[in-house]
């Protein structure tokens, strides 16, 4: 059985409103084009939360990267602020974003980059059949 080559695509995030709309559009079109098998609505929620955090609290250029390796879809959001995101207790005033990401992903993390950080998560792909 041939394993499909990993696929990756990026989208630069701009202002909060335009950036979130672009991130959602990019995510939907990319995942559908890849036939990635991931729940697109779940991916849209995760991307919206991670992108919103980067646009609100990050600095410099913010970039959304999606990649798929035939088993998982990885969502990464890069920004120039080295401070990791802070998970607040969920309540009536918010704090649900990272809790939602944790619930929908198999794993989530933050890693330093040369200029800042990347916040990432992995979404499971129920089907290993990808367009390639």
């Amino acid at each position: 059985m041939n394993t499909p080559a990993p696929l990756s695509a990026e989208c630069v995030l701009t202002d909060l409103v335009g950036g979130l709309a672009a991130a959602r559009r990019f995510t939907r079109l990319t995942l559908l084009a890849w036939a990635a098998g991931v729940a697109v609505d779940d991916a849209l929620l995760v991307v919206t939360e991670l992108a919103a955090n980067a646009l609100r609290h990050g600095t410099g250029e913010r970039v959304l990267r999606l990649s798929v390796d035939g088993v998982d879809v990885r969502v990464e959001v890069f920004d120039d602020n080295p401070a990791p995101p802070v998970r607040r207790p969920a309540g009536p005033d918010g704090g649900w974003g990272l809790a939602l990401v944790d619930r929908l992903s198999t794993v989530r993390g933050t890693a330093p980059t040369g200029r800042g950080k990347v916040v990432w998560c992995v979404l499971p792909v129920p089907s290993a059949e990808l367009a390639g």
Side-chain angles (χ1 to χ4, degrees):
M1 178 175 170
N2 289 340
T3 303
L7 301 171
S8 180
E10 293 184 354
C11 172
V12 175
L13 306 174
T14 56
D15 61 280
L16 187 60
V17 175
L20 291 179
R24 287 191 289 263
R25 186 172 43 256
F26 166 78
T27 298
R28 178 179 299 282
L29 293 175
T30 300
L31 293 178
L32 291 174
W34 288 347
V38 70
V40 173
D41 289 339
D42 289 353
L44 291 173
L45 286 171
V46 165
V47 163
T48 299
E49 291 301 331
L50 295 183
N53 282 347
L55 289 164
R56 286 186 183 120
H57 308 294
T59 59
E61 184 176 66
R62 286 88 160 191
V63 176
L64 164 64
R65 179 187 298 156
L66 301 176
S67 57
V68 64
D69 63 5
V71 177
D72 298 306
V73 170
R74 185 175 175 100
V75 176
E76 299 171 300
V77 178
F78 298 82
D79 69 65
D80 292 348
N81 182 350
V86 176
R87 184 173 173 180
R88 299 181 314 152
D93 294 327
W96 296 95
L98 291 178
L100 179 65
V101 173
D102 287 343
R103 176 85 170 138
L104 296 174
S105 62
T106 57
V107 63
R108 174 184 63 87
T110 303
T113 64
R115 295 181 1 192
K117 70 176 174 298
V118 58
V119 180
W120 58 271
C121 71
V122 175
L123 301 171
V125 175
S127 170
E129 295 183 28
L130 298 174

